[in-house]
Amino acid sequence: MARLSADLIRRSPQFVSALKQRVLDLRGNKIAVIDNLGATEDQFDTIDLLDNEIVRLENFPFMNRLGTLLINNNRITCINPNLGEFLPKMHTLVLTNNRLTSLAEIDPLASLPKLQFLSILDNTVTKQPDYRLYVIHKLKHLRLLDFKKVNQQERAEAAQKFHSNEAEEAAEKVAAKAYTPVVMDAQGTTKDQGPKVVAPTPAQITAIKAAIVYCQTVDEVTRLEKALSTAQVPAEYYVITKPDTNIAEASEEAQAEKMETDGQEQEDGADEQKRNDEGTIQEDQFDTIDLSDNEIVRLENLPFVDRLGSLLINSNRITRINANLGDFLLNIHTLVLTNNRLTSLAEIDPLASLSCNSSAYWV
């Protein structure tokens, strides 16, 4: 992990955007802790911290000019409740693909007096009941939430639902993690001003790795992997009753069982794909297909369709497009790829295979 030092800030790209805003590009540096931003001398309208390893949104100096903060694809789990005291002009905050899990963890954003544009997509908290209405209720000046405009009807519903403190407390029933500031010493290591964390023993590490094999959901795997990386042992692993050798044997048995299960799942998946191929849209009866708000990674495996003219596949995770897409979509004229994960110009080249004059949009 790299330290956000004054030297790194000086060496990082700085440019003026198409909106005539000064931008500091700090993306992809494996930064773990926000620090030393005073070295910017508050000369930037936008700071891009995308694709780092930041866990806490804190340690900002007073920055009166900063209006946009891009901090998506990090590991944010905690936000300083006094963030607005240091970023009074912040109007755009992108927190897409972080690790916020409860509604109470969003409350500190209410301290930002100018916040109008906010994205929290791909955080577990978005699956909470009434998530959108709760955020609208808390952030009174919000105009755009998760790339969708906040309308008056939603404001009225939010005000009605959360008009009492009891309603807010019920929405926050999933407890937020306690906020404890983190400081960095002269050597660049972090010091948590909270309870001291005891590193896991080798036996506990082995037990956690064995448990990962048995996990049934991605959330469980993420929780245990985080425990290993942060040395925060889950409560169920404080006591290890079996010797290390037994645990290792259990881990090997679990791995063998997992491989057998994976093989069966692959066979089931092949059968399912075959059934889908036999009975899907091969009848070619539709002018438009809407696949928005899914988790599609590759734009491929489409059958030959002559009628289809519009394909809406925004808000997915597209990273790759079939180079022969045009061989299957002969008359496609509109393709919406907004809010996906295309990163290079070469990834867009396959769109040239579409014979019609397609109108393609992507972010």
Side-chain angles (χ1 to χ4, degrees), residues 63-334:
M63 306 179 78
N64 192 49
R65 178 172 177 175
L66 185 64
T68 300
L69 179 63
L70 310 178
I71 198 165
N72 39 316
N73 299 341
N74 277 267
R75 301 178 180 180
I76 302 294
T77 61
C78 194
I79 301 174
N80 185 346
N82 301 317
L83 191 63
E85 296 180 9
F86 305 97
L87 307 176
K89 300 291 180 65
M90 177 71 63
H91 55 75
T92 301
L93 178 60
V94 180
L95 283 166
T96 302
N97 192 26
N98 277 281
R99 300 183 180 179
L100 298 170
T101 59
S102 73
L103 294 175
E105 292 169 357
I106 302 174
D107 288 351
L109 298 181
S111 67
L112 296 167
K114 303 288 186 179
L115 188 61
Q116 298 181 29
F117 307 98
L118 173 67
S119 173
I120 320 180
L121 289 170
D122 291 334
N123 282 264
T124 307
V125 66
T126 60
K127 300 177 182 178
Q128 295 288 341
D130 299 314
Y131 147 76
R132 185 173 175 86
L133 292 181
Y134 182 84
V135 176
I136 293 172
H137 166 71
K138 279 293 185 180
L139 308 179
K140 306 298 184 184
H141 302 289
L142 205 61
R143 296 171 55 189
L144 202 70
L145 174 59
D146 296 339
F147 303 102
K148 295 181 181 178
K149 185 177 180 181
V150 177
N151 56 48
Q152 290 301 322
Q153 181 180 353
E154 288 178 314
R155 294 187 193 279
E157 290 179 7
Q160 182 178 5
K161 188 169 187 64
F162 300 105
H163 67 282
S164 65
N165 292 333
E166 290 78 7
E168 286 191 29
E169 292 173 358
E172 296 175 350
K173 61 184 178 180
V174 179
K177 295 179 284 293
Y179 173 80
T180 54
V182 168
V183 296
M184 182 174 285
D185 61 18
Q187 286 72 37
T189 57
T190 59
K191 293 183 178 180
D192 196 336
Q193 295 179 344
K196 184 178 180 180
V197 178
V198 179
T201 65
Q204 290 171 328
I205 292 175
T206 305
I208 295 174
K209 288 182 178 179
I212 290 175
V213 176
Y214 283 106
C215 286
Q216 300 297 317
T217 66
V218 175
D219 289 340
E220 291 176 15
V221 174
T222 302
R223 181 177 71 90
L224 293 175
E225 287 180 343
K226 182 179 179 182
L228 286 175
S229 62
T230 61
Q232 296 177 347
V233 181
E236 60 265 34
Y237 299 104
Y238 282 142
V239 179
I240 301 296
T241 57
K242 292 185 177 182
D244 291 318
T245 55
N246 292 341
I247 294 172
E249 291 174 0
S251 178
E252 292 176 359
E253 293 175 2
Q255 183 66 29
E257 181 180 348
K258 182 176 183 297
M259 292 174 64
E260 181 178 352
T261 302
D262 288 346
Q264 183 62 41
E265 288 178 353
Q266 289 178 0
E267 293 178 3
D268 294 342
D271 293 340
E272 181 67 20
Q273 181 64 38
K274 182 177 180 180
R275 288 194 296 271
N276 289 341
D277 291 343
E278 291 173 353
T280 185
I281 58 172
Q282 291 181 1
E283 296 179 359
D284 195 13
Q285 297 180 352
F286 302 98
D287 303 292
T288 299
I289 294 179
D290 188 348
L291 287 166
S292 303
D293 296 316
N294 285 291
E295 298 182 1
I296 300 169
V297 177
R298 299 179 179 217
L299 188 53
E300 60 184 6
N301 291 338
L302 291 165
F304 176 82
V305 283
D306 185 56
R307 177 172 176 175
L308 185 65
S310 298
L311 179 60
L312 313 180
I313 197 165
N314 45 307
S315 299
N316 278 267
R317 300 180 179 182
I318 301 294
T319 59
R320 184 175 298 181
I321 301 173
N322 186 347
N324 301 315
L325 191 64
D327 293 344
F328 304 95
L329 307 179
L330 296 186
N331 292 308
I332 196 82
H333 54 73
T334 301

